[in-house]
């Protein structure tokens, strides 16, 4: 192991590879800050440039764009309630509230530190246990993935304060929206009403940007000018208090564990990891009453989760040749173009590339930490821009980001529709995050459910015959019973107070 790490360090610290790593993480970070664009578009645009460099330098740069965007995605979420990437959507809940409370510098500092720790833990797990984790991931079939998605949807009821019934209703709405498009089993179009643009389903970027970003602009039309962030941000003002550090550290560790798990599973990714992390914090944090109102755990946990997931997502891609999401599929294609065959033998046949890539992850995460902390003052200073100037700029960025994904005007229409829906939901106190999670998990839930029944000839016994699937089912039952018990206790306590 030590020899491999030394070999990787020699590759990563070579002048050319270091410069490509620096270029990749820098581009990724700034792409992440811009709402809606995301790493997919950046990698697609820069992919032709990699044909003229070595395979190692090409993959190091493209990978840097991917995990660099995870760092930058939280900036717009925290400052303007605009998720830079889908995985940073849930950070809007507490990060933006911290900004409104005059704690934007602290929120960005916590985000940078949590991202670095989460990414480092993900790299450490990848370094020591990549082959073993890939073998465990192979044991997850359709029944296990179905139960895992169901557990996530049940947990979505804990994503926001208020009625669990409302949250579950929003999950159902998200699932219904998620089934729009082409049915992969039968090949028929569902609920598209003749719109071919909906064949690939409702745009996740448009829905997240509309529900969180555009709805925020609509809700604050006519709001008085912001006077919170007019003072210069000093380094001392960015440092969280001792209590906030004590609350954030367990959340970071929990988020890193959750992100490492979901990142290593093909087909899940950092978006699901960040939502799961927030759900866990909403139940396990000792400050859970403040979740959604500016709690540091609501920033630290999801940020650690999406960055650790971004690192461990390379495990199935490199060791199995199975991409976890669309970005990983693009990176896999880049490797194949350069004559590299990802798979179980890559560690032995391409040791310089594998270990050079691993060590470049350490280097890239350290560069991102150094970049992010000094830039906090610059990001916060954006809040000094008057709303009459800031909001038109935000709308323009949202429109450009949404359009640039597929160069589709129809996606812009979706954005506007979801913006109006998000505005109405805010008026009715309906939570948006469960809807987004239902939209993300709904198609995967249906696909794995139907595939499981096909494998078992229609028998539901397949979900209890497999150990992992049965364990997840028991967890779902436990979560439901726990939530029901807590609701009964709260109702009884309220009844006693009314009688007294």
């Amino acid at each position: 192991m030590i020899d491999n790490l030394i070999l990787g360090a020699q590759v990563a610290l070579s002048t050319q590879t270091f410069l490509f790593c620096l270029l990749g993480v820098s581009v990724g970070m700034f792409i992440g800050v811009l709402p809606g664009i995301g790493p997919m578009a950046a990698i697609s645009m820069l992919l032709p440039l990699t044909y003229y460099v070595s395979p190692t330098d090409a993959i190091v740069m493209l990978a840097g764009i991917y995990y660099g965007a995870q760092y930058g995605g939280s900036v717009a979420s925290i400052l303007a309630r605009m998720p830079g990437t889908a995985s940073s959507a849930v950070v809007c809940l507490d990060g933006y509230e911290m900004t409104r409370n005059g704690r934007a510098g602290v929120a960005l500092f916590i985000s940078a530190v949590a991202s670095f720790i989460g990414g480092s833990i993900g790299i450490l797990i990848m370094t020591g246990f990549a082959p073993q984790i890939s073998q465990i991931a192979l044991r997850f079939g359709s029944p296990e993935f179905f139960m895992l998605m169901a557990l996530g949807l049940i947990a979505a009821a804990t994503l926001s304060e208020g009625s669990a019934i409302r949250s579950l209703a929003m999950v159902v709405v998200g699932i219904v929206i998620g089934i729009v498009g082409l049915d992969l089993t039968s090949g028929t179009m569902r609920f598209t009403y003749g719109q071919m643009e909906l064949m690939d389903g409702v745009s996740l970027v448009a829905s997240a940007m509309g529900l969180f970003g555009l709805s925020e602009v609509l809700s604050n039309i006519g709001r008085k000018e912001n006077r919170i962030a007019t003072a210069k941000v000093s380094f001392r003002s960015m440092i969280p208090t001792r209590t906030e550090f004590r609350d954030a550290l367990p959340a970071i560790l929990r988020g890193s564990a959750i992100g490492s798990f979901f990142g290593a599973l093909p087909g899940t990714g950092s978006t699901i990891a960040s939502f799961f992390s927030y759900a866990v914090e909403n139940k396990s944090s000792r400050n859970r009453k403040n979740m959604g109102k500016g709690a540091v755990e609501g920033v630290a946990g999801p940020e650690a989760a999406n960055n650790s997931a971004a690192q461990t997502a390379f495990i199935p891609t490199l060791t199995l040749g199975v991409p976890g999401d669309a970005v990983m599929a693009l990176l896999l294609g880049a490797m194949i173009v350069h004559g590299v065959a990802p798979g179980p033998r890559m560690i032995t046949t391409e040791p310089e590339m594998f270990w050079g890539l691993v060590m470049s992850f350490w280097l890239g995460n350290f560069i991102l930490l150094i970049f992010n902390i000094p830039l906090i003052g610059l990001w916060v200073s954006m809040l000094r821009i008057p709303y009459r100037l800031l909001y038109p700029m935000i709308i323009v960025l949202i429109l450009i980001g949404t359009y640039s994904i597929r160069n589709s005007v129809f996606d812009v229409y979706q954005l506007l529709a979801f913006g109006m829906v998000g505005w109405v939901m805010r008026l009715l106190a309906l939570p948006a995050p469960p809807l987004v999670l239902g939209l993300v998990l709904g198609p995967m839930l249906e696909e794995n459910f139907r595939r499981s029944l096909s494998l078992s000839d229609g028998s539901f016994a397949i979900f209890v015959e497999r150990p992992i699937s049965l364990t997840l089912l028991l967890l779902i039952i436990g979560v439901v019973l726990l939530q029901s018990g807590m609701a009964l206790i709260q109702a009884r306590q309220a009844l006693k107070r009314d009688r007294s």
Side-chain angles (χ1 to χ4, degrees):
M1 179 63 69
I2 294 176
D3 292 340
N4 289 330
L5 294 178
I6 292 174
L7 174 63
Q10 291 174 346
V11 174
L13 293 175
S14 64
T15 303
Q16 186 167 324
T17 304
F18 173 80
L19 291 176
F20 275 101
C21 179
L22 178 63
L23 175 63
V25 297
S26 301
V27 171
M29 183 180 67
F30 286 103
I31 286 294
V33 172
L34 298 176
I37 296 179
M40 188 74 178
I43 292 176
S44 300
M45 289 185 291
L46 294 178
L47 185 59
L49 299 179
T50 65
Y51 299 158
Y52 306 100
V53 300
S54 69
T56 301
D57 293 339
I59 304 305
V60 164
M61 184 186 71
L62 297 178
I65 295 174
Y66 175 59
Y67 61 83
Q70 307 301 322
Y71 269 78
S74 61
V75 174
S77 294
I78 292 172
L79 296 182
R81 209 171 187 263
M82 298 186 306
T85 58
S87 59
S88 61
V90 75
V91 182
C92 294
L93 299 178
D94 285 278
Y96 184 67
E97 289 301 317
M98 291 183 70
T99 296
R100 295 181 65 180
N101 296 333
R103 307 275 290 166
V106 175
L108 291 171
F109 185 89
I110 286 287
S111 171
V113 172
S115 298
F116 177 74
I117 296 176
S120 298
I121 291 177
I123 299 168
L124 187 64
I125 292 174
M126 180 182 176
T127 302
F129 306 102
Q132 294 83 352
I133 293 176
S134 63
Q135 294 302 317
I136 295 174
L138 285 176
R139 299 180 62 183
F140 273 72
S142 297
E144 287 77 14
F145 277 114
F146 169 76
M147 287 299 173
L148 195 62
M149 301 300 107
L151 178 61
L153 293 175
I154 295 296
T158 69
L159 280 174
S160 54
E161 290 293 324
S163 171
I165 300 298
R166 290 189 175 195
S167 296
L168 287 174
M170 290 297 99
V171 169
V172 174
V173 172
I175 293 175
V176 172
I177 296 175
I179 64 176
V180 172
L182 182 67
D183 181 8
L184 296 179
T185 303
S186 64
T188 58
M189 304 284 282
R190 301 184 299 186
F191 306 108
T192 58
Y193 301 100
Q195 298 291 335
M196 294 302 296
E197 292 86 351
L198 288 174
M199 185 175 68
D200 293 331
V202 173
S203 170
L204 176 60
V205 171
S207 61
M209 294 300 301
L211 291 172
F212 292 104
L214 190 57
S215 67
E216 178 67 22
V217 175
L218 295 175
S219 300
N220 287 283
I221 292 177
R223 179 179 168 186
K224 293 182 179 180
E225 295 296 338
N226 188 11
R227 301 297 180 188
I228 295 175
T230 54
K232 184 178 180 180
V233 178
S234 64
F235 180 75
R236 177 170 294 183
S237 67
M238 303 176 194
I239 303 298
T241 64
R242 185 176 300 178
T243 301
E244 288 173 331
F245 262 126
R246 189 171 64 247
D247 294 337
L249 184 57
I252 291 174
L253 297 178
R254 286 189 292 265
S256 299
I258 293 170
S260 299
F261 171 74
F262 280 102
L265 294 178
T268 51
S270 55
T271 301
I272 297 175
S274 61
F275 274 90
F276 259 84
S277 175
Y278 192 88
V280 169
E281 293 308 315
N282 212 1
K283 282 300 180 184
S284 61
S285 171
R286 67 187 186 95
N287 292 323
R288 52 184 175 272
K289 292 183 179 179
N290 294 325
M291 294 294 288
K293 302 175 184 177
V296 293
E297 298 95 318
V299 175
E303 279 299 290
N306 67 41
N307 281 275
S308 59
Q311 301 298 339
T312 55
F314 286 91
I315 293 177
T317 304
L318 297 179
T319 62
L320 300 176
V322 179
D325 55 24
V327 179
M328 287 291 108
L330 195 58
L331 290 173
L332 185 67
M335 293 183 193
I336 295 174
V337 167
H338 283 278
V340 179
R345 297 183 179 180
M346 182 179 177
I347 299 178
T348 55
T349 59
E350 300 284 348
E352 291 188 1
M353 169 175 276
F354 182 86
W355 294 109
L357 188 60
V358 169
M359 294 307 293
S360 75
F361 292 163
W362 287 108
L363 182 62
N365 273 267
F366 187 69
I367 293 173
L368 285 167
L369 181 66
I370 294 175
F371 275 6
N372 271 266
I373 292 179
L375 286 175
I376 289 176
L378 173 63
W379 301 137
V380 174
S381 65
M382 290 168 30
L383 296 176
R384 302 175 193 167
I385 303 174
Y387 284 140
R388 65 181 182 276
L389 300 178
L390 180 62
Y391 282 159
M393 292 168 55
I394 289 175
I395 293 175
V396 169
L397 288 174
I398 291 175
L399 293 174
I400 293 174
T402 304
Y403 178 81
S404 65
I405 298 297
R406 296 188 296 188
N407 295 328
S408 171
V409 177
F410 189 81
D411 286 351
V412 177
Y413 295 150
Q414 293 185 64
L415 167 73
L416 299 176
F418 276 105
M420 294 300 298
V421 170
W423 177 65
V424 173
M425 289 174 61
R426 288 166 69 91
L427 295 177
L428 299 177
L430 295 173
L435 189 153
V436 176
L437 187 60
L439 178 60
V440 172
L441 296 184
M444 291 188 285
L445 183 81
E446 180 198 15
E447 179 183 353
N448 286 289
F449 178 74
R450 296 173 70 175
R451 187 179 297 166
S452 300
L453 293 183
S454 297
L455 293 173
S456 63
D457 294 327
S459 174
F460 288 91
I462 191 172
F463 297 110
V464 296
E465 291 174 346
R466 301 162 69 104
I468 299 178
S469 177
L470 178 60
T471 302
L472 292 172
L473 176 61
L474 294 176
L475 284 175
I476 293 173
I477 296 173
V479 169
V480 172
L481 292 177
L482 179 62
Q483 290 185 346
S484 301
M486 293 178 63
L488 289 174
I489 292 173
Q490 292 174 357
R492 183 173 298 179
Q493 291 176 347
L495 184 61
K496 288 182 179 179
R497 287 194 299 267
D498 293 340
R499 289 179 177 177
S500 61

